[in-house]
């Protein structure tokens, strides 16, 4: 079972007053008595936020999934994102452990039992990501920097969204398929972060009609849905997919996206990680759906 947390309220205030009280999605009230000095991040997106806020000196450890920025690789490794090494975490005496939805509930509950404060996030959109950054900044006494980052993100998001909205006035939404894994063919369904990005970028995610958040697709279903835009990433095959290899998939030749060469590779880390870089991931989706906007977007 996975655990998802959501802040009860958004806290964009710059002033810092202690103690801080908040309630997570499990209904647990957690109190931060003083400024956080030792942070452990379990998720790549969270780690990127910590560095963006200038808190890298307070970051004592990360999970093995955290690989950006490069400096994060030199931090203490506390193991897998889903099942981190709890003994190691406790030994490092963090003031706050910040998790994402991939981390198992059993691990987080055990940390709480051991007296380690922890909180996690599952942002489902760009706006959720902006709120998350704002909340992390508030909890870690970096409100001013957080406000600067989120204000810039919000302004750029609105600029890009206005471009998309203008295009949609005279164009129908393109049917889009996003490939997470090639064999078997996995995609992102309704309610996922990818689904939200496709929608915000002016497309229609055909997997919204499938069952589940991470559905598999057979060839017949894909041909029947007939996506006009097909998006994948290098991470969708064991050896790394290239655009040339994607174009050579003769088995998909009946699909409009392949007939019209509307095939694209995006940087998976940009579009999958809720972090300040999500705006760049949003741009990649817009360029795939509306390539004519490339110059205005950049």
């Amino acid at each position: 079972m996975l655990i998802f947390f959501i802040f009860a309220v958004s806290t964009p205030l710059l002033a810092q007053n202690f103690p801080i009280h908040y309630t997570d999605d499990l209904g647990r009230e957690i109190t931060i008595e003083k400024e956080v000095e030792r942070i452990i991040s379990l998720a790549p997106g969270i780690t990127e936020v910590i560095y963006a806020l200038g808190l890298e000196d307070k970051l004592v450890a990360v999970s093995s999934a955290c690989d950006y920025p490069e400096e994060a690789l030199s931090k203490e490794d506390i193991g897998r994102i889903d099942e981190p090494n709890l003994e190691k975490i406790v030994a490092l005496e963090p003031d706050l452990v910040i998790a994402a939805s991939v981390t198992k509930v059993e691990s987080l509950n055990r940390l709480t039992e051991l007296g380690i404060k922890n909180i996690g996030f599952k942002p489902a959109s760009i706006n959720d990501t902006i709120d998350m950054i704002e909340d992390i900044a508030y909890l870690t006494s970096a409100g001013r920097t957080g406000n600067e980052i989120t204000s810039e993100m919000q302004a750029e998001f609105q600029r890009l969204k206005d471009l998309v909205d203008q295009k949609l006035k005279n164009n129908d939404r393109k049917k889009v398929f996003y490939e997470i894994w090639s064999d078997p063919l996995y995609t992102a369904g309704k309610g996922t972060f990818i689904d939200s990005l496709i929608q915000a970028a002016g497309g229609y995610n055909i997997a919204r009609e499938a069952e589940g958040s991470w559905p598999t697709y057979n060839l017949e279903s894909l041909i029947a849905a007939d996506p006009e835009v097909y998006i994948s990433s290098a991470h969708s095959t064991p050896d790394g997919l290239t655009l040339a290899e994607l174009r050579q998939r003769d088995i998909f030749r009946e699909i409009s996206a392949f007939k019209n060469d509307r095939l694209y590779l995006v940087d998976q880390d940009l579009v999958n990680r809720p972090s300040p870089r999500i705006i760049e991931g949003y741009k990649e989706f817009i360029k795939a759906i509306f390539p004519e906007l490339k110059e205005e977007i950049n």
Side-chain angles (χ1 to χ4, degrees):
M1 179 181 177
L2 303 182
I3 175 73
F4 304 145
F5 301 84
I6 303 175
F7 263 102
V9 294
S10 179
T11 50
L13 304 177
L14 297 182
Q16 193 70 69
N17 297 306
F18 294 98
I20 299 174
H21 301 283
Y22 61 90
T23 304
D24 68 19
D25 198 38
L26 288 180
R28 305 177 302 171
E29 184 175 285
I30 302 171
T31 301
I32 297 180
E33 303 285 356
K34 60 182 181 178
E35 183 171 336
V36 172
E37 298 291 348
R38 296 177 64 80
I39 303 168
I40 290 180
S41 167
L42 300 184
I46 300 295
T47 297
E48 292 190 27
V49 172
I50 297 300
Y51 273 89
L53 292 172
L55 300 173
E56 58 270 22
D57 290 342
K58 294 185 176 184
L59 186 64
V60 297
V62 298
S63 72
S64 55
C66 300
D67 57 5
Y68 185 91
E70 188 175 347
E71 291 79 8
L73 295 170
S74 64
K75 294 291 183 179
E76 190 78 23
D77 187 339
I78 46 80
R80 289 165 42 182
I81 184 174
D82 58 339
E83 293 185 274
N85 186 323
L86 302 188
E87 290 184 2
K88 200 168 187 179
I89 291 175
V90 172
L92 289 168
E93 300 182 333
D95 298 321
L96 185 64
V97 175
I98 309 178
S101 59
V102 180
T103 303
K104 292 185 176 180
V105 60
E106 294 83 2
S107 295
L108 296 177
N109 282 344
R110 183 56 182 154
L111 283 176
T112 300
E113 291 171 0
L114 294 168
I116 304 297
K117 298 184 194 309
N118 60 83
I119 187 168
F121 298 89
K122 187 184 180 294
S125 66
I126 292 176
N127 277 327
D128 287 352
T129 300
I130 292 172
D131 289 342
M132 180 191 76
I133 295 170
E134 205 167 56
D135 287 339
I136 292 173
Y138 179 70
L139 285 172
T140 56
S141 304
R144 188 172 301 280
T145 302
N147 184 260
E148 292 172 358
I149 292 170
T150 55
S151 294
E152 290 179 8
M153 289 179 69
Q154 191 65 63
E156 182 65 355
F157 178 42
Q158 188 61 54
R159 182 185 77 87
L160 296 168
K161 190 173 180 298
D162 287 345
L163 290 174
V164 170
D165 289 344
Q166 190 63 35
K167 292 296 294 185
L168 287 175
K169 285 183 178 180
N170 300 310
N171 297 275
D172 294 330
R173 288 180 177 270
K174 298 287 187 185
K175 293 185 293 181
V176 179
F177 184 85
Y178 182 79
E179 175 183 297
I180 291 177
W181 192 249
S182 60
D183 188 19
L185 187 61
Y186 274 92
T187 187
K190 186 175 181 179
T192 61
F193 198 84
I194 292 294
D195 176 59
S196 172
L197 279 181
I198 291 172
Q199 186 75 11
Y204 176 77
N205 178 20
I206 63 171
R208 295 188 115 236
E209 301 171 15
E211 186 175 340
S213 298
W214 311 104
T216 57
Y217 256 73
N218 57 40
L219 180 59
E220 291 75 17
S221 297
L222 193 63
I223 290 175
D226 194 26
E228 300 163 273
V229 178
Y230 195 102
I231 304 174
S232 187
S233 73
H235 295 80
S236 67
T237 64
D239 298 323
L241 180 67
T242 67
L243 192 56
E245 290 169 338
L246 181 59
R247 287 172 174 153
Q248 290 169 5
R249 290 184 184 172
D250 291 339
I251 194 171
F252 291 166
R253 62 184 180 276
E254 297 301 319
I255 299 169
S256 293
F258 282 76
K259 287 180 180 178
N260 301 320
D261 196 25
R262 294 295 304 274
L263 312 176
Y264 303 91
L265 291 187
V266 298
D267 185 332
Q268 177 178 274
D269 290 345
L270 292 183
V271 302
N272 281 347
R273 295 183 179 182
S275 78
R277 295 197 295 164
I278 194 58
I279 298 298
E280 296 306 311
Y282 181 44
K283 288 180 180 180
E284 291 203 15
F285 270 48
I286 297 174
K287 287 186 284 188
I289 296 167
F290 295 113
E292 65 271 24
L293 288 177
K294 183 176 181 180
E295 295 300 321
E296 292 180 75
I297 289 171
N298 293 333

